[in-house]
Amino acid sequence: MTRSFILLITILMSFNHCTEVHSETSKDSAIEKKIDSIIKKMTLDEKAGQLHQIMGSFGTVTDDLRGQVKSGQIGSVLNEIDPKTILELQRIAVEESPNGIPILFARDVIHGFKTIFPIPLGQAASWNPLLIEECAHISAMEASSVGINWTFAPMMDVCRDPRWGRIAETLGEDPHLSSVLSSSMIKGYQGNDISEKGRIAACAKHFAGYGAAEGGRDYNTSLIPEAELHNIYLPPFKAAVENDVATFMTGFNDLNGVPVTANKYLTRDLLKNKWAFDGFVVSDWESISQLAVHGFTENQRESALKAFKAGVDMDMQSYSFLKHIPMLVKEGLIDQRSLDDAVRRILRVKFKLGLFDDPFFDPADFPEMVNDDYREKAKQLAIESCVLLKNDDQTLPLEASGISKLAVLGPLSDDPYEQLGTWIFDGDEKHSITPLQAIQEYANGNFEVNYLKVLETSRSVNKSSFNAAEELVINSDAVVMFLGEESILSGEAHSRARINLPGCQEELIDEISRMGKPLVVVIMAGRPISLENVVNKADAIIFAWHPGTMGGPAIADIVFGKVSPSGKLPVTFPKNSGQIPIYYNHKHTGKPPTKEKAVLIDDIPVKAKQWSVGNVAYYLDAGYEPMFPFGYGLSYTQFTYENLKLSKDVLTSKADELTVRVDLVNNGDFEATEISQLYIRDLVSSITRPVKELIAFQRHALKPGERKTIEFKILVEDLAYYYPEKSWSTENGNFDLWVGGDSRADLKTSFKVKK
Ligand code: BGC
């Protein structure tokens, strides 16, 4: 998957459109005509009503709600998931409201509806666009079966700060990986034809820069220079438009002094005008009325005006548009044409979803939720999400035949709820299979599984069960510990200043590691965890994120070697919180650190002279390298890369293409999948460029001993970047190129662009 590959798909799709230009245009123009005739009939209040989204009443149609729907005051309802209530509200809207406009029913279906897949950050560790697409389709099917026709996903905020609780919902720190995977999610939710049964409208959120919340504290201000905004934070949103995402959501954050819910440059100028997005933009929850709280507006009326003028079309829950837009139009502060445009955008999505033709649904038309096929996909994605961080002396996989007693310890061994992760409004723990259950099934009487929870929760500091845990370990051949964070410790508003294992889990590892038994630590968490105090004490570490409904069987398959882990980190793991922000695609600086120059605190002689430490960019107490780099993940086999070759040394025109070939070899005796990553560096440029940038990746499954030549194609435009005076372009000059299994890849060559 390269940037040009995404573009190629888009071009091919538009070519398809071209060949069908007649029918497409006529279909679209038919919709636009219908919209015209509806808009003509609408009163000012009814138009403002379309721009208004409110919370449902949890399975009831209150008199108030009935009245508002009937009078055409509601464009969308969120968080109603009772099919009967949805059907009744829809009936009132289409049969009794003035213009019979159907309602959009929205829900946060973030990583599954009933079948819960790994958290998005975990999904990103799979680097598997197709599987992610399939799983998003399952989510859409399940959600549609209760009447949901719009999800507030995917979230595509690039994030470089694991303290931020919402990193769990992101696809990591890299713009390219986030673009590819969020595009897959959009395709999974929307399909090729969003009106098909089981497809729902997706929402690209949060536009933009929310993931750069200062200090990783949720809702905090983002300060992002123009070039960083375009090069790092906006690419997934641009890709979303190219993939026809139906809607966008603004964020809660202030970006460089202007809250993004009132940011005209982002929403009206860039998204709607430059990128030609033709869907609609919803605010975040009450983020319009919060403009006054930011100190950006005087009152709710001004908030409505500024948000609307900036390009927000629908107000989530704050009533600002419903209350103030009619008067703002009457006073001439908002013109009719802009109001009609906002209404048109919302109606367009409703038409595209087919709601005007068939606003109703029958739950019986859909496959059963959490069925075996869905569970199988959830298991596969959970397997591919697991990242093997450490595996000394091939501790893993555990040889079941060599074990007679296995100790299973830890608060997350058998907790069907906590393995589901954040944002699982509709997930149900009763469908979960826990690691303990799955391990017991594996054991099947062939070895003993001795389980102790030890700590009540991941936050517990009560060590009273430590002795019992030690007893149990003395009598076991190996130990598997399930540690991490409960779901509630990540997600919206759940940021942490210290991202180590909470409670006394580190001390538990200390105690158990002293006993000298093979120790496997499986961490389930909603963010990268700093493992500085842990990494040398465990023999093997699997990072399983919050793996969802099928987390247990997925982990068991990896622990016992039914499958090799293949996940790779979508985000850098710092040694400790003090290193944050730390990310792979940083700048070189004028004083780049090296091992020799970065003298660590304990090696500095007493009374050493001020300049004795090397004068490079690093921390005296944490060096400059992370614990685990972006793209990293071990396998049960060893892959090597050899014979890196380019089809040419110089790219001479804009349309020129570079073919990169490299041999990938499976040197071990385990069949496994490798995620091969291609990085470049633009060596000299008008503004400095990162030391490495991921521009393509591929997945390959290789048998033991197998060798395969893999091939990447790079276009000149894949090398483009944004810089303020020139927008996007590829500059002439020298580039380095690496291929390998993580962002430390050192198999390197170089080429030139000379257009
Ligand atoms: C979140 C959004 C979410 C919305 C609706 C907000 O608090 O920021 O991501 O879609 O609530 O639930």
Side-chain angles (χ1 to χ4, degrees):
M1 292 278 164
T2 59
R3 285 182 202 158
S4 53
F5 182 72
I6 302 177
L7 194 83
L8 181 71
I9 293 190
T10 314
I11 293 168
L12 285 176
M13 284 168 63
S14 50
F15 181 69
N16 266 341
H17 284 166
C18 289
T19 55
E20 296 170 359
V21 102
H22 186 64
S23 61
E24 267 300 305
T25 323
S26 48
K27 192 172 151 206
D28 283 350
S29 64
I31 289 180
E32 298 305 314
K33 273 191 198 137
K34 287 183 192 163
I35 295 176
D36 286 340
S37 74
I38 297 174
I39 289 181
K40 265 188 208 135
K41 289 186 274 172
M42 292 173 83
T43 64
L44 201 48
D45 285 342
E46 286 158 14
K47 288 178 184 173
Q50 276 310 299
L51 275 46
H52 178 52
Q53 180 184 53
I54 53 144
M55 177 87 159
S57 297
F58 303 107
T60 50
V61 181
T62 57
D63 289 346
D64 199 23
L65 195 55
R66 181 182 295 277
Q68 289 177 56
V69 175
K70 204 167 162 174
S71 59
Q73 276 176 37
I74 292 177
S76 172
V77 171
L78 78 157
N79 293 342
E80 179 55 72
I81 48 138
D82 172 51
K84 284 203 184 104
T85 307
I86 290 181
L87 283 166
E88 176 58 3
L89 288 171
Q90 197 67 298
R91 190 198 62 73
I92 301 169
V94 297
E95 291 177 5
E96 298 178 13
S97 77
N99 297 293
I101 301 173
I103 294 175
L104 282 170
F105 290 96
R107 183 69 158 172
D108 291 278
V109 184
I110 305 298
H111 52 114
F113 186 71
K114 276 276 181 278
T115 307
I116 301 297
F117 303 100
I119 54 167
L121 190 60
Q123 295 190 30
S126 76
W127 299 52
N128 189 339
L130 285 179
L131 185 58
I132 288 175
E133 179 180 335
E134 285 176 320
C135 293
H137 184 198
I138 292 171
S139 306
M141 289 285 275
E142 289 190 342
S144 315
S145 74
V146 303
I148 299 301
N149 44 35
W150 178 23
T151 178
F152 300 129
M155 170 157 150
M156 51 193 74
D157 295 298
V158 168
C159 177
R160 295 165 154 184
D161 194 329
R163 292 171 296 184
W164 192 46
R166 299 197 81 169
I167 195 170
E169 295 171 65
T170 73
L171 298 162
E173 75 184 26
D174 181 66
H176 178 67
L177 184 64
S178 299
S179 301
V180 172
L181 301 183
S182 55
S183 299
S184 298
M185 285 184 175
I186 292 166
K187 284 182 223 148
Y189 292 126
Q190 298 193 166
N192 292 329
D193 176 359
I194 195 176
S195 70
E196 265 176 15
K197 194 172 73 170
R199 300 293 183 175
I200 58 180
C203 182
K205 75 183 187 186
H206 306 83
F207 196 56
Y210 184 35
E214 263 194 320
R217 187 158 55 88
D218 201 10
Y219 311 131
N220 206 5
T221 302
S222 307
L223 293 168
I224 311 177
E226 184 183 342
E228 290 295 284
L229 182 67
H230 286 269
N231 289 315
I232 303 293
Y233 293 93
L234 293 181
F237 292 101
K238 179 85 187 321
V241 175
E242 285 158 3
N243 281 285
D244 271 337
V245 72
T247 68
F248 261 63
M249 185 189 290
T250 62
F252 290 124
N253 56 302
D254 174 328
L255 173 65
N256 302 335
V258 180
V260 291
T261 293
N263 194 313
K264 179 172 169 292
Y265 166 70
L266 277 180
T267 309
R268 205 169 280 288
D269 301 347
L270 190 67
L271 175 64
K272 290 185 169 177
N273 292 340
K274 191 145 194 234
W275 295 352
F277 171 64
D278 75 351
F280 72 85
V281 180
V282 64
S283 74
D284 204 343
W285 182 275
E286 293 180 343
S287 67
I288 297 182
S289 55
Q290 285 161 17
L291 293 174
V293 186
H294 278 280
F296 191 70
T297 60
E298 197 72 47
N299 50 36
Q300 198 190 33
R301 180 178 182 276
E302 196 188 353
S303 300
L305 178 63
K306 284 202 162 154
F308 185 86
K309 288 241 166 205
V312 175
D313 303 302
M314 185 180 275
D315 169 11
M316 187 191 292
Q317 191 61 28
S318 86
Y319 286 78
S320 312
F321 280 2
L322 188 73
K323 278 194 202 150
H324 299 288
I325 286 215
M327 193 47 90
L328 289 166
V329 173
K330 280 183 198 146
E331 289 171 8
L333 292 167
I334 289 178
D335 63 62
Q336 268 293 349
R337 273 187 45 215
S338 322
L339 176 60
D340 289 354
D341 176 66
V343 174
R344 173 179 300 279
R345 287 168 178 273
I346 293 164
L347 296 188
R348 190 180 285 140
V349 170
K350 294 183 176 184
F351 267 107
K352 285 189 174 171
L353 277 164
L355 293 178
F356 280 92
D357 296 331
D358 183 8
F360 303 113
F361 65 96
D362 183 350
D365 287 345
F366 292 85
E368 192 196 340
M369 295 206 227
V370 210
N371 62 46
D372 287 349
D373 292 343
Y374 294 179
R375 293 170 78 83
E376 202 41 50
K377 288 285 176 214
K379 179 178 168 189
Q380 188 57 29
L381 192 45
I383 288 175
E384 294 190 17
S385 298
C386 284
V387 183
L388 181 63
L389 296 178
K390 179 179 181 187
N391 194 18
D392 279 0
D393 304 323
Q394 296 184 320
T395 305
L396 285 173
L398 293 181
E399 215 32 90
S401 58
I403 296 174
S404 69
K405 286 183 181 161
L406 180 70
V408 174
L409 306 178
L412 298 178
S413 310
D414 193 28
D415 195 323
Y417 176 75
E418 300 302 348
Q419 71 186 50
L420 297 180
T422 186
W423 280 113
I424 44 119
F425 282 171
D426 306 291
D428 190 336
E429 65 177 83
K430 76 169 190 251
H431 299 300
S432 295
I433 303 183
T434 68
L436 179 66
Q437 290 167 341
I439 289 174
Q440 277 162 340
E441 182 150 326
Y442 246 97
N444 193 22
N446 294 324
F447 59 87
E448 242 177 68
V449 179
N450 295 320
Y451 163 64
L452 196 65
K453 194 172 187 186
V454 196
L455 300 168
E456 208 30 54
T457 70
S458 68
R459 285 169 285 167
S460 173
V461 288
N462 179 347
K463 299 186 202 159
S464 58
S465 298
F466 275 28
N467 286 343
E470 286 169 23
E471 268 310 294
L472 200 138
V473 170
I474 290 176
N475 296 312
S476 303
D477 306 305
V479 191
V480 187
M481 288 171 91
F482 292 89
L483 306 174
E485 290 180 323
E486 297 145 74
S487 300
I488 198 69
L489 300 186
S490 60
E492 183 172 348
H494 295 89
S495 299
R496 295 179 62 205
R498 285 178 291 270
I499 58 161
N500 55 337
L501 287 171
C504 60
Q505 296 181 90
E506 289 187 357
E507 283 145 284
L508 179 61
I509 296 178
D510 285 350
E511 290 293 316
I512 302 301
S513 72
R514 272 193 218 115
M515 307 188 66
K517 297 288 168 85
L519 173 58
V520 177
V521 172
V522 180
I523 296 174
M524 299 193 207
R527 60 161 58 74
I529 296 290
S530 61
L531 296 171
E532 185 175 42
N533 300 331
V534 168
V535 78
N536 293 329
K537 295 170 190 155
D539 298 294
I541 303 177
I542 297 174
F543 208 87
W545 317 95
H546 286 133
T549 305
M550 295 299 281
I555 294 167
D557 275 7
I558 289 179
V559 167
F560 294 105
K562 195 163 175 197
V563 61
S564 169
S566 60
K568 302 271 189 174
L569 296 179
V571 58
T572 304
F573 273 42
K575 291 178 187 154
N576 56 51
S577 302
Q579 281 187 313
I580 301 167
I582 183 166
Y583 44 89
Y584 87 95
N585 48 356
H586 58 84
K587 299 292 182 65
H588 200 232
T589 78
K591 289 181 182 286
T594 58
K595 278 212 168 62
E596 300 68 48
K597 287 190 171 169
V599 184
L600 289 175
I601 200 159
D602 294 335
D603 300 327
I604 303 173
V606 176
K607 302 245 165 35
K609 295 270 181 262
Q610 175 157 0
W611 306 123
S612 62
V613 295
N615 287 1
V616 288
Y618 79 111
Y619 293 107
L620 294 180
D621 49 358
Y624 59 95
E625 284 177 324
M627 189 84 251
F628 300 108
F630 174 81
Y632 170 86
L634 302 173
S635 161
Y636 290 160
T637 197
Q638 294 81 44
F639 287 104
T640 51
Y641 291 83
E642 297 165 10
N643 300 325
L644 176 59
K645 288 199 186 97
L646 302 182
S647 56
K648 52 181 84 162
D649 299 330
V650 187
L651 291 165
T652 52
S653 76
K654 266 191 177 169
D656 216 349
E657 186 182 84
L658 183 69
T659 304
V660 182
R661 287 196 189 86
V662 66
D663 291 345
L664 174 64
V665 192
N666 179 345
N667 288 306
D669 42 21
F670 223 99
E671 176 168 358
T673 294
E674 167 71 333
I675 295 158
S676 305
Q677 302 158 39
L678 191 152
Y679 296 89
I680 53 139
R681 178 172 174 205
D682 186 346
L683 290 175
V684 179
S685 33
S686 296
I687 56 169
T688 55
R689 303 293 300 134
V691 291
K692 265 184 185 162
E693 284 180 276
L694 177 79
I695 61 163
F697 64 90
Q698 294 179 1
R699 303 168 52 80
H700 295 280
L702 263 67
K703 298 214 168 2
E706 191 178 342
R707 167 183 292 265
K708 190 172 182 181
T709 303
I710 61 174
E711 196 175 286
F712 295 91
K713 297 231 181 275
I714 301 176
L715 296 179
V716 169
E717 69 202 37
D718 291 330
L719 310 169
Y721 73 96
Y722 180 98
Y723 62 108
E725 294 94 56
K726 288 229 175 161
S727 192
W728 283 87
S729 69
T730 305
E731 290 185 301
N732 284 343
N734 295 325
F735 288 77
D736 281 344
L737 180 153
W738 299 259
V739 180
D742 63 52
S743 58
R744 285 177 317 197
D746 54 8
L747 185 61
K748 177 176 160 189
T749 183
S750 45
F751 65 95
K752 203 186 259 305
V753 174
K754 201 168 170 207
K755 292 171 279 153

